[in-house]
Amino acid sequence: MFAWQAAGSRQWLARAVRRNHSLEATELANTSLDDKTKAWKSLINIAVSGAAGMIANHLLFKVRIYGLFLRGFQLASGEVFGPDQPITLKLLGSERSFQALEGVAMELEDSLYPLLREVNISVDPYEVFQDATWALLIGAKPRGPGMERAGLLDINGQIFAQQGKALNEVASPNVKVIVVGNPCNTNALICLKNAPNIPAKNFHALTRLDENRAKCQLALKAGVFYDKVSNMTIWGNHSTTQVPDFLNAKINGMPVTEVITDIKWLKEEFTERVQKRGGILIQKWGRSSAASTAVSIVDAIRSLVTPTPSGDWFSTGVYTTGNPYGIAEDIIFSMPCRSNGDGDYELVKDVIFDDYLWERIKKTEAELLAEKRCVAHLTGEGNAYCDLPEDTMLPGEQ
Amino acid sequence: MFAWQAAGSRQWLARAVRRNHSLEATELANTSLDDKTKAWKSLINIAVSGAAGMIANHLLFKVRIYGLFLRGFQLASGEVFGPDQPITLKLLGSERSFQALEGVAMELEDSLYPLLREVNISVDPYEVFQDATWALLIGAKPRGPGMERAGLLDINGQIFAQQGKALNEVASPNVKVIVVGNPCNTNALICLKNAPNIPAKNFHALTRLDENRAKCQLALKAGVFYDKVSNMTIWGNHSTTQVPDFLNAKINGMPVTEVITDIKWLKEEFTERVQKRGGILIQKWGRSSAASTAVSIVDAIRSLVTPTPSGDWFSTGVYTTGNPYGIAEDIIFSMPCRSNGDGDYELVKDVIFDDYLWERIKKTEAELLAEKRCVAHLTGEGNAYCDLPEDTMLPGEQ
């Protein structure tokens, strides 16, 4: 692994080492005991794949935000981190992107983040995931010309099978994994199937940008500020079959349907606006929505490490096992969750369904089951059989 | 001005209006008096030029950071902002970049920033700078093929002359202006000369990235963590004639020259490493260092709105009038400053000079005086006379 040491220099090391200018125990020996107690924290290792890409480029430079909200992070073990939470960023790139990765590391150095104690870069997931407590899996192959969705599932599935194996072997046993690279639900499923030693509950597929976009559209329609919209669920797949749920969502604590009485808009326009947001952005902006995706990754982490506000919930794609809704088991499905801030979550029980909502949930469920059959060779469940009816990749995420 | 209202919709309005989903007085009427007192703050208007570019794309998505440190911001008037400081972002773009600007506004919406009450986009500086309390001037024309530095000074100088006039007419009378677009020192001078009603002291040219890079290089050489390096001055122009000052800088509170005894390295390599950092980055990364530039802009603002740590200082390019060092008056020169956090600063007096340092300061001073003669037609000081000896644009900032 290349441990980033200085402009232009790198060292080949058998494993990640702390940079020579990071906080060392010897340095701490010179401070008072009080200072020591305050200053010394276990490093949190955050591993990021696709680290040379644009989403990561936004995400990585939000280190100050991590430091701020991780300070409140209470581990399941009962250990409470104080106000200063030093972190290590471990960046996974490809051979092709390695120089860019060096550039990212240099810019992180130049940013003088006080809590960023170490940056490591590598092309080997076994090195990057070593002792990782968070794994943010952003990297994925984009679809090439003429590639079918089945082909995309296969090519990315192989990446996530390998990364699952690596996480299983070298990451912290309670590592939390957030899969961003598409198709993220099925990639997350493949990843967890290849990491049997890590609790399946720890794997997430990012649907937070969809949730944020849905909240924004409801706020705009209702003429209220964003923070008045709560209880927003995205059900199912991060694809065009996703179900932004206006039945359970609230505006100013009231059901959305009592505030926005234009049911036609809710049924016909709202979901389409959420789905097409990325496509409109790519038309206007000429590139995909990396900045808001990065913001939503930070939101997703924060939702797991800070207590969910009373009565509210957030959406994340998680493993369906014993879910109370009657959704098919053994897939990654976006559902409403709450957290007490320990990095874990529980499913929300008090949601309602009507025929319209349930019908759409069944459709996105059918798609995820079809995707699962399509990657059976990567989850250790026999031969793949691909019968994906149509392409449901979100526009702007091709 | 287009006030951003909803995905795909815009309204032409005579002046900036609050978005219909922003915090309105009527909404506040429904809250208790206590809540009202806590919740209602004057909006801080932050105007950003070059808002569709990559530096701004990083900067704008640091809104949470603004909110956090502006909460401590004590205005000169004595007004103290509390923990929640709502802000408005006013984005200046060009006709060519207008669609991208819409994309930026949409991504800001999708990010659901609780403190971001309003986003306005426009191509007219008179609209964008209306009531601005901060103006972050990032936009500048890049040098075209075959363009001399004199040509670049002229083409950008005209932009900054126009923006100075606009600031003078419509901005908050105590607006703080940070010029990032190159050549930033002389652009800042042109800007202030065209804004006689705004205190000259309020104009800054960004040399904070140079300061950060210098601190990083000293830390790497000394084998200490960044935060052990203090009192780092960048003197003069944001160009290759800049002077990173190792004579006054400290490591662990001791003079750098006592910690790094390799004077040859300090004199020959250190400055070059700082200067060439951007060039190396562009080679590796394939694009300029937008992320770390954005971080340094945030650093520059924070240094003005939070009290400088005792005994330390920061660098910023400011107007030389009555400076204690004997540097030529009436130019924008990067110098060591302290702030009590009110948005203002004072020059640090207790610095030392030796012949080596002073000689280099005179060289960067001579360059700034030459640049000033070159833009006399834009500062209202007669006919321009251009005798720039060589091209001193920093590599990576072409």
Side-chain angles (χ1 to χ4, degrees), chain B residues 7-299:
Chain B
S9 87
R10 352 161 170 159
Q11 284 198 327
W12 179 266
L13 297 168
R15 47 157 291 155
V17 294
R18 196 159 303 171
R19 282 189 299 184
N20 65 353
H21 57 289
S22 66
L23 189 70
E24 293 286 2
T26 48
E27 259 187 73
L28 284 164
N30 299 323
T31 61
S32 75
L33 191 64
D34 257 12
D35 280 353
K36 224 187 282 189
T37 316
K38 272 191 291 181
W40 184 251
K41 313 277 174 190
S42 305
L43 280 172
I44 284 190
N45 292 311
I46 303 179
V48 180
S49 78
M54 281 314 297
I55 294 172
N57 199 233
H58 275 94
L59 184 67
L60 296 172
F61 291 85
K62 293 183 188 297
V63 163
R64 279 204 182 89
I65 290 286
Y66 293 135
L68 286 165
F69 66 65
L70 287 174
R71 73 186 173 187
F73 183 26
Q74 184 172 351
L75 284 183
S77 67
E79 187 182 357
V80 181
F81 290 101
D84 303 312
Q85 177 52 61
I87 63 172
T88 296
L89 287 175
K90 307 178 74 160
L91 310 183
L92 182 62
S94 60
E95 294 290 355
R96 193 180 48 80
S97 69
F98 199 78
Q99 284 236 323
L101 215 54
E102 289 184 307
V104 172
M106 288 170 69
E107 281 207 88
L108 284 167
E109 276 190 336
D110 289 342
S111 299
L112 309 183
Y113 290 118
L115 295 176
L116 180 57
R117 296 296 170 172
E118 194 176 328
V119 178
N120 292 304
I121 60 178
S122 175
V123 296
D124 181 351
Y126 285 84
E127 292 172 331
V128 169
F129 296 153
Q130 183 75 46
D131 301 323
T133 47
W134 290 89
L136 312 177
L137 306 185
I138 301 171
K141 290 254 189 231
R143 184 158 52 178
M147 190 188 287
E148 298 284 321
R149 187 164 169 88
L152 189 73
L153 275 163
D154 181 62
I155 198 164
N156 276 303
Q158 298 199 26
I159 293 170
F160 284 85
Q162 185 208 25
Q163 294 188 358
K165 287 187 178 81
L167 285 164
N168 196 55
E169 197 167 312
V170 300
S172 161
N174 198 26
V175 61
K176 304 293 187 291
V177 184
I178 299 182
V179 178
V180 181
N182 283 315
C184 65
N185 292 55
T186 298
N187 286 343
L189 184 71
I190 293 165
C191 199
L192 85 83
K193 291 287 181 183
N194 285 277
N197 297 336
I198 298 168
K201 207 180 175 184
N202 291 16
F203 290 81
H204 298 261
L206 186 80
T207 54
R208 187 53 170 266
L209 181 55
D210 306 304
E211 177 186 332
N212 287 356
R213 287 172 171 171
K215 280 179 163 173
C216 175
Q217 292 305 317
L218 290 179
L220 287 168
K221 181 72 177 174
V224 300
F225 195 61
Y226 317 120
D227 59 1
K228 300 290 183 282
V229 184
S230 65
N231 304 83
M232 186 70 235
T233 312
I234 301 293
W235 295 96
N237 202 1
H238 176 70
S239 75
T240 59
T241 67
Q242 67 175 254
V243 184
D245 173 1
F246 59 82
L247 184 66
N248 289 286
K250 289 177 183 167
I251 295 174
N252 279 317
M254 297 199 303
V256 164
T257 46
E258 286 177 28
V259 179
I260 300 171
T261 51
D262 183 351
I263 298 296
K264 189 173 150 66
W265 183 88
L266 285 171
K267 287 197 171 175
E268 290 173 19
E269 270 194 59
F270 166 58
T271 301
E272 197 176 306
R273 274 177 183 266
V274 174
Q275 289 169 352
K276 293 203 169 158
R277 187 76 163 173
I280 294 171
L281 268 161
I282 218 165
Q283 275 170 18
K284 289 203 178 288
W285 185 210
R287 45 193 152 188
S288 62
S289 35
S292 49
T293 303
V295 168
S296 78
I297 295 169
V298 173
D299 288 344

Side-chain angles (χ1 to χ4, degrees), chain A residues 278-290:
Chain A
I280 294 171
L281 267 162
I282 218 166
Q283 275 169 20
K284 289 201 178 290
W285 186 209
R287 46 193 151 188
S288 62
S289 36

